[in-house]
Each structure stands twice: as structure tokens, then as C-alpha cells.
Amino acid sequence: GAGVSQSPSNKVTEKGKDVELRCDPISGHTALYWYRQSLGQGLEFLIYFQGNSAPDKSGLPSDRFSAERTGGSVSTLTIQRTQQEDSAVYLCASSLARPYEQYFGPGTRLTVT
Amino acid sequence: GQQVMQIPQYQHVQEGEDFTTYCNSSTTLSNIQWYKQRPGGHPVFLIQLVKSGEVKKQKRLTFQFGEAKKNSSLHITATQTTDVGTYFCAANYGGATNKLIFGTGTLLAVQP
């Protein structure tokens, strides 16, 4: 079956512009996660959605970052007024309910110029 | 906050040598997962450990979960060039959230 997909694969934007990153999880997976990975670094947790529960937003670095998940499936991560330090690979993962393995998408490489 | 320390940060071995990476948490974990990320790729799940003192093997890979459920290790016997990549542990602290806190990762380089 299809894995986790993300779009776009690459995004170059100017400082101050808003960007939207999309994630399509594996069908039937109730949990969805967003992470950020800077070059050569580890994975930084951003936000976690589980079913109809309120999302865990504890990892969002500032109020410029927001995410939503519509219909329990597709998710969009929005970064407003992008800064150069936002440049990174943004990874999405999905899983069945706790505490199962996470399946990662290929990521979106964001470059803020 | 919750932190997961992973050492070493980088390891360079000759093909055929063994390799071990260690993961440590200051607080007790509910479970721990291990992932491998090849250069240019995305993390891929390897295994999950849940029980205190648990040991699991996958071919040349041996995973251990400490008795106190605060540390874990991944050992690779007789490394091969296909083992190249970054190995991450990912800690789950249980409770109301299922988020994973990823360790800093160990980059393994294998010289043929």
C-alpha cells in the first residue's frame, strides 16, 4: 500500500512569506506527527494528532507555527512570516494507536532565503 | 524537560568490527523505539522495547532495554557497509501523550 506522502518535496521561500506543508498519512493511521530536522541534527518534535483528541502542540517553537488535521487524515503545517532559522527538513509520520511504530514520509526541505 | 542523551555522536569502524550506541534518559520510560536513517533518507523503524531488561535480536543487531527502563543500547556485530547511517533511539514517556522524544543520534560510518 501507499506510504506517507508529503508535498512539496522542496520549497524555497523568501524571508517573511508564509508556507504550507502537506502530509498524507497512511490510510487508517489515527496518529500523525510533525518533526523538524536541521542539517546533520536529530529530530525535533513539533506536534502530534491522535484521533479526535486535542493535539499535543508542546513542540511548536513559536506562534508562527500552526498545524491542522482535517477529517482525521490530511494534515497541513503552516509557518507564517518565515525566518532563515526555519530552514530545515520537515518530516511527517503516522502510526496506528499507541504505542506503535511510526512510518515517516520523505520530508519537505524548506529553504528560507 | 525530558531529554534523551545518545552517545557516541559519531563512530567510524572498519567493516567487520562491532558497533554500539547508547541511549540514556534521566526519567523512566514507558517504552523505547529505535530507528535508522540512511544518508539522504527518512527514519525507518527498527524495533520497540517495552519490558524492563528486554533483549531483542534482529540478525546482527541486538537491542537492550535497561532494568530501570532509563537506558537502552543497540549493538551491531560484524558491521557491513549497508549498516551506514544514523541510528536514533526514540523515547516514549507514556501518560496522556504518545509523542516520541528522539535522541541526538549516532552516525555510523563503515570503511570497507
Side-chain angles (χ1 to χ4, degrees):
Chain A
V4 178
S5 61
Q6 292 186 244
S7 61
S9 55
N10 281 284
K11 176 71 176 179
V12 180
T13 189
E14 293 180 351
K15 178 182 173 181
K17 296 284 181 68
D18 297 352
V19 295
E20 285 189 351
L21 312 180
R22 177 187 168 106
C23 173
D24 282 88
I26 293 173
S27 177
H29 280 191
T30 57
L32 187 147
Y33 312 78
W34 282 98
Y35 298 90
R36 179 169 68 176
Q37 186 172 35
S38 300
L39 185 62
Q41 301 299 309
L43 279 75
E44 176 188 5
F45 167 79
L46 297 177
I47 188 169
Y48 158 57
F49 296 91
Q50 172 61 58
N52 295 322
S53 302
D56 180 343
K57 304 180 182 180
S58 61
L60 294 178
S62 77
D63 58 8
R64 296 187 296 105
F65 288 74
S66 63
E68 62 177 20
R69 188 178 185 191
T70 54
S73 182
V74 172
S75 178
T76 302
L77 176 68
T78 301
I79 308 174
Q80 296 178 311
R81 305 181 301 281
T82 52
Q83 304 293 316
Q84 287 188 330
E85 60 263 28
D86 298 335
S87 295
V89 174
Y90 289 82
L91 290 160
C92 173
S94 71
S95 74
L96 294 170
R98 59 191 296 178
Y100 295 104
E101 64 192 86
Q102 295 185 15
Y103 293 81
F104 282 80
T108 294
R109 182 175 298 278
L110 175 65
T111 303
V112 181
T113 60
Chain B
Q2 296 152 340
Q3 287 188 317
V4 181
M5 303 303 296
Q6 195 172 348
I7 57 171
Q9 194 171 1
Y10 172 78
Q11 182 92 53
H12 179 218
V13 300
Q14 295 287 326
E15 189 171 22
E17 292 182 337
D18 292 356
F19 159 77
T20 305
T21 174
Y22 301 90
C23 192
N24 293 287
S25 169
S26 56
T27 55
T28 303
L29 305 174
S30 176
N31 60 75
I32 194 161
Q33 299 179 8
W34 284 90
Y35 290 79
K36 177 183 178 181
Q37 185 175 26
R38 294 181 183 273
H42 57 271
V44 175
F45 175 83
L46 294 176
I47 209 156
Q48 176 171 271
L49 305 171
V50 179
K51 299 177 183 177
S52 169
E54 190 169 15
V55 178
K56 288 188 176 180
K57 293 190 176 184
Q58 289 180 350
K59 297 182 180 178
R60 294 177 295 104
L61 278 61
T62 301
F63 303 84
Q64 295 189 0
F65 202 8
E67 294 290 340
K69 298 184 71 173
K70 289 184 177 182
N71 58 75
S72 181
S73 65
L74 158 59
H75 179 82
I76 302 178
T77 303
T79 55
Q80 300 175 358
T81 55
T82 53
D83 295 327
V84 164
T86 301
Y87 292 85
F88 292 99
C89 62
N92 182 291
Y93 291 89
T97 180
N98 279 309
K99 69 183 183 186
L100 291 177
I101 304 299
F102 276 76
T104 47
T106 296
L107 174 59
L108 173 63
V110 180
Q111 179 143 10

Short mmCIF file of all heavy atoms in Angstrom, two decimals, chain B residues 38-71:
data_model
loop_
_atom_site.label_atom_id
_atom_site.label_comp_id
_atom_site.label_asym_id
_atom_site.label_seq_id
_atom_site.Cartn_x
_atom_site.Cartn_y
_atom_site.Cartn_z
N ARG B 38 19.16 6.35 6.70
CA ARG B 38 20.26 6.32 5.74
C ARG B 38 20.53 7.74 5.27
O ARG B 38 19.64 8.59 5.30
CB ARG B 38 19.91 5.43 4.56
CG ARG B 38 19.77 3.97 4.92
CD ARG B 38 19.45 3.15 3.69
NE ARG B 38 19.23 1.75 4.01
CZ ARG B 38 20.19 0.85 4.10
NH1 ARG B 38 21.45 1.19 3.87
NH2 ARG B 38 19.91 -0.41 4.39
N PRO B 39 21.74 8.02 4.81
CA PRO B 39 22.06 9.36 4.31
C PRO B 39 21.08 9.78 3.22
O PRO B 39 20.84 9.04 2.27
CB PRO B 39 23.48 9.19 3.76
CG PRO B 39 24.05 8.07 4.56
CD PRO B 39 22.92 7.13 4.82
N GLY B 40 20.47 10.94 3.40
CA GLY B 40 19.51 11.45 2.43
C GLY B 40 18.12 10.84 2.54
O GLY B 40 17.23 11.19 1.77
N GLY B 41 17.93 9.94 3.48
CA GLY B 41 16.64 9.28 3.61
C GLY B 41 15.86 9.72 4.83
O GLY B 41 16.24 10.68 5.51
N HIS B 42 14.79 9.01 5.10
CA HIS B 42 13.98 9.31 6.27
C HIS B 42 14.11 8.18 7.28
O HIS B 42 14.53 7.08 6.93
CB HIS B 42 12.52 9.51 5.86
CG HIS B 42 11.93 8.33 5.15
ND1 HIS B 42 12.01 8.18 3.78
CD2 HIS B 42 11.27 7.25 5.61
CE1 HIS B 42 11.41 7.06 3.44
NE2 HIS B 42 10.96 6.47 4.53
N PRO B 43 13.79 8.45 8.55
CA PRO B 43 13.93 7.40 9.57
C PRO B 43 13.03 6.21 9.28
O PRO B 43 11.88 6.36 8.86
CB PRO B 43 13.50 8.12 10.86
CG PRO B 43 13.71 9.57 10.58
CD PRO B 43 13.39 9.74 9.12
N VAL B 44 13.58 5.02 9.52
CA VAL B 44 12.85 3.78 9.34
C VAL B 44 12.88 3.01 10.65
O VAL B 44 13.93 2.84 11.26
CB VAL B 44 13.46 2.92 8.21
CG1 VAL B 44 12.76 1.57 8.13
CG2 VAL B 44 13.37 3.65 6.88
N PHE B 45 11.72 2.57 11.08
CA PHE B 45 11.57 1.85 12.35
C PHE B 45 12.36 0.55 12.33
O PHE B 45 12.33 -0.20 11.35
CB PHE B 45 10.09 1.56 12.58
CG PHE B 45 9.79 0.72 13.78
CD1 PHE B 45 9.71 1.30 15.04
CD2 PHE B 45 9.57 -0.64 13.65
CE1 PHE B 45 9.41 0.52 16.15
CE2 PHE B 45 9.27 -1.42 14.76
CZ PHE B 45 9.19 -0.84 16.01
N LEU B 46 13.07 0.28 13.44
CA LEU B 46 13.78 -0.97 13.59
C LEU B 46 13.08 -1.87 14.60
O LEU B 46 12.81 -3.05 14.31
CB LEU B 46 15.23 -0.72 14.05
CG LEU B 46 16.14 0.00 13.07
CD1 LEU B 46 17.50 0.25 13.71
CD2 LEU B 46 16.29 -0.80 11.79
N ILE B 47 12.83 -1.34 15.81
CA ILE B 47 12.29 -2.19 16.86
C ILE B 47 11.72 -1.36 18.00
O ILE B 47 12.04 -0.17 18.12
CB ILE B 47 13.40 -3.13 17.40
CG1 ILE B 47 12.81 -4.43 17.92
CG2 ILE B 47 14.25 -2.42 18.45
CD1 ILE B 47 13.80 -5.57 17.93
N GLN B 48 10.89 -1.98 18.82
CA GLN B 48 10.37 -1.35 20.03
C GLN B 48 10.64 -2.26 21.21
O GLN B 48 10.43 -3.48 21.13
CB GLN B 48 8.87 -1.09 19.91
CG GLN B 48 8.24 -0.52 21.17
CD GLN B 48 6.83 -0.07 20.98
OE1 GLN B 48 6.56 1.07 20.61
NE2 GLN B 48 5.90 -0.98 21.20
N LEU B 49 11.09 -1.68 22.32
CA LEU B 49 11.31 -2.41 23.56
C LEU B 49 10.37 -1.86 24.61
O LEU B 49 10.23 -0.64 24.75
CB LEU B 49 12.77 -2.26 24.01
CG LEU B 49 13.83 -2.66 23.00
CD1 LEU B 49 15.22 -2.26 23.49
CD2 LEU B 49 13.78 -4.16 22.72
N VAL B 50 9.74 -2.77 25.36
CA VAL B 50 8.73 -2.35 26.32
C VAL B 50 9.04 -2.81 27.75
O VAL B 50 8.83 -2.07 28.71
CB VAL B 50 7.34 -2.89 25.90
CG1 VAL B 50 6.27 -2.48 26.91
CG2 VAL B 50 6.96 -2.40 24.51
N LYS B 51 9.57 -4.02 27.87
CA LYS B 51 9.74 -4.61 29.19
C LYS B 51 11.11 -4.32 29.78
O LYS B 51 12.12 -4.26 29.07
CB LYS B 51 9.54 -6.11 29.10
CG LYS B 51 8.16 -6.52 28.63
CD LYS B 51 8.07 -8.04 28.49
CE LYS B 51 6.72 -8.47 27.94
NZ LYS B 51 6.66 -9.93 27.73
N SER B 52 11.15 -4.18 31.09
CA SER B 52 12.40 -4.00 31.81
C SER B 52 13.35 -5.15 31.52
O SER B 52 12.95 -6.32 31.59
CB SER B 52 12.11 -3.94 33.31
OG SER B 52 13.28 -4.02 34.07
N GLY B 53 14.60 -4.83 31.14
CA GLY B 53 15.59 -5.85 30.88
C GLY B 53 15.42 -6.59 29.57
O GLY B 53 16.15 -7.55 29.29
N GLU B 54 14.51 -6.13 28.73
CA GLU B 54 14.22 -6.83 27.48
C GLU B 54 15.42 -6.81 26.54
O GLU B 54 16.13 -5.82 26.44
CB GLU B 54 13.02 -6.18 26.80
CG GLU B 54 12.46 -6.95 25.61
CD GLU B 54 11.12 -6.40 25.15
OE1 GLU B 54 10.75 -5.28 25.55
OE2 GLU B 54 10.43 -7.09 24.38
N VAL B 55 15.63 -7.94 25.86
CA VAL B 55 16.66 -8.07 24.83
C VAL B 55 16.01 -8.63 23.58
O VAL B 55 15.32 -9.64 23.65
CB VAL B 55 17.81 -8.98 25.29
CG1 VAL B 55 18.85 -9.12 24.16
CG2 VAL B 55 18.47 -8.45 26.55
N LYS B 56 16.24 -7.95 22.46
CA LYS B 56 15.70 -8.45 21.19
C LYS B 56 16.82 -8.48 20.16
O LYS B 56 17.69 -7.61 20.16
CB LYS B 56 14.55 -7.56 20.69
CG LYS B 56 13.26 -7.70 21.48
CD LYS B 56 12.14 -6.95 20.79
CE LYS B 56 10.81 -7.15 21.51
NZ LYS B 56 9.70 -6.42 20.84
N LYS B 57 16.75 -9.45 19.27
CA LYS B 57 17.78 -9.58 18.23
C LYS B 57 17.12 -9.58 16.86
O LYS B 57 16.06 -10.18 16.65
CB LYS B 57 18.59 -10.85 18.44
CG LYS B 57 19.44 -10.85 19.69
CD LYS B 57 20.39 -12.03 19.73
CE LYS B 57 21.31 -11.93 20.96
NZ LYS B 57 22.32 -13.01 21.00
N GLN B 58 17.80 -8.91 15.94
CA GLN B 58 17.44 -8.94 14.53
C GLN B 58 18.73 -9.21 13.77
O GLN B 58 19.52 -8.32 13.55
CB GLN B 58 16.85 -7.60 14.08
CG GLN B 58 15.49 -7.27 14.60
CD GLN B 58 15.01 -5.92 14.09
OE1 GLN B 58 15.75 -5.14 13.49
NE2 GLN B 58 13.73 -5.61 14.34
N LYS B 59 18.94 -10.45 13.40
CA LYS B 59 20.15 -10.84 12.67
C LYS B 59 21.38 -10.36 13.44
O LYS B 59 21.65 -10.81 14.54
CB LYS B 59 20.11 -10.31 11.25
CG LYS B 59 18.96 -10.89 10.43
CD LYS B 59 18.99 -10.38 9.01
CE LYS B 59 17.82 -10.97 8.22
NZ LYS B 59 17.78 -10.47 6.82
N ARG B 60 22.14 -9.40 12.91
CA ARG B 60 23.36 -8.95 13.57
C ARG B 60 23.11 -7.82 14.57
O ARG B 60 24.04 -7.35 15.21
CB ARG B 60 24.34 -8.47 12.51
CG ARG B 60 24.86 -9.57 11.58
CD ARG B 60 25.79 -9.01 10.49
NE ARG B 60 25.08 -8.11 9.59
CZ ARG B 60 25.19 -6.80 9.63
NH1 ARG B 60 25.99 -6.22 10.51
NH2 ARG B 60 24.51 -6.06 8.76
N LEU B 61 21.88 -7.40 14.74
CA LEU B 61 21.54 -6.29 15.64
C LEU B 61 20.96 -6.83 16.94
O LEU B 61 20.07 -7.69 16.92
CB LEU B 61 20.54 -5.35 14.98
CG LEU B 61 21.04 -4.28 14.02
CD1 LEU B 61 21.75 -4.89 12.81
CD2 LEU B 61 19.91 -3.37 13.59
N THR B 62 21.47 -6.34 18.06
CA THR B 62 20.96 -6.70 19.38
C THR B 62 20.54 -5.44 20.12
O THR B 62 21.34 -4.50 20.24
CB THR B 62 22.01 -7.45 20.21
OG1 THR B 62 22.42 -8.63 19.51
CG2 THR B 62 21.44 -7.84 21.57
N PHE B 63 19.31 -5.42 20.58
CA PHE B 63 18.74 -4.28 21.28
C PHE B 63 18.49 -4.66 22.74
O PHE B 63 17.98 -5.74 23.02
CB PHE B 63 17.41 -3.86 20.65
CG PHE B 63 17.51 -3.54 19.19
CD1 PHE B 63 17.44 -4.56 18.24
CD2 PHE B 63 17.64 -2.23 18.75
CE1 PHE B 63 17.51 -4.27 16.89
CE2 PHE B 63 17.70 -1.94 17.40
CZ PHE B 63 17.64 -2.97 16.47
N GLN B 64 18.85 -3.75 23.65
CA GLN B 64 18.61 -4.00 25.07
C GLN B 64 17.90 -2.82 25.71
O GLN B 64 18.15 -1.66 25.36
CB GLN B 64 19.94 -4.23 25.80
CG GLN B 64 20.66 -5.49 25.37
CD GLN B 64 21.85 -5.81 26.27
OE1 GLN B 64 22.13 -5.09 27.20
NE2 GLN B 64 22.54 -6.90 25.97
N PHE B 65 17.05 -3.12 26.67
CA PHE B 65 16.36 -2.11 27.48
C PHE B 65 16.80 -2.33 28.92
O PHE B 65 16.72 -3.45 29.43
CB PHE B 65 14.85 -2.28 27.34
CG PHE B 65 14.03 -1.06 27.67
CD1 PHE B 65 14.61 0.17 27.91
CD2 PHE B 65 12.64 -1.15 27.72
CE1 PHE B 65 13.85 1.30 28.20
CE2 PHE B 65 11.86 -0.03 28.00
CZ PHE B 65 12.46 1.19 28.23
N GLY B 66 17.25 -1.29 29.57
CA GLY B 66 17.79 -1.44 30.91
C GLY B 66 16.75 -1.88 31.94
O GLY B 66 15.54 -1.71 31.75
N GLU B 67 17.26 -2.42 33.03
CA GLU B 67 16.38 -2.91 34.09
C GLU B 67 15.51 -1.79 34.66
O GLU B 67 14.35 -2.00 35.03
CB GLU B 67 17.20 -3.55 35.21
CG GLU B 67 17.92 -4.83 34.83
CD GLU B 67 16.99 -6.00 34.60
OE1 GLU B 67 15.83 -5.96 35.08
OE2 GLU B 67 17.40 -6.96 33.91
N ALA B 68 16.07 -0.60 34.76
CA ALA B 68 15.35 0.54 35.31
C ALA B 68 14.54 1.28 34.24
O ALA B 68 13.88 2.28 34.56
CB ALA B 68 16.33 1.51 35.97
N LYS B 69 14.59 0.80 33.03
CA LYS B 69 13.88 1.41 31.89
C LYS B 69 14.27 2.88 31.73
O LYS B 69 13.43 3.74 31.45
CB LYS B 69 12.36 1.27 32.05
CG LYS B 69 11.90 -0.19 32.07
CD LYS B 69 10.39 -0.34 32.14
CE LYS B 69 9.71 0.05 30.86
NZ LYS B 69 8.25 -0.25 30.86
N LYS B 70 15.56 3.15 31.93
CA LYS B 70 16.07 4.50 31.70
C LYS B 70 17.13 4.54 30.62
O LYS B 70 17.57 5.61 30.21
CB LYS B 70 16.66 5.08 32.99
CG LYS B 70 15.64 5.42 34.05
CD LYS B 70 16.32 6.07 35.24
CE LYS B 70 15.32 6.49 36.30
NZ LYS B 70 15.98 7.16 37.44
N ASN B 71 17.59 3.37 30.18
CA ASN B 71 18.62 3.35 29.16
C ASN B 71 18.41 2.19 28.22
O ASN B 71 17.72 1.21 28.55
CB ASN B 71 20.01 3.30 29.79
CG ASN B 71 20.18 2.10 30.69
OD1 ASN B 71 20.33 0.98 30.24
ND2 ASN B 71 20.12 2.34 31.99
#
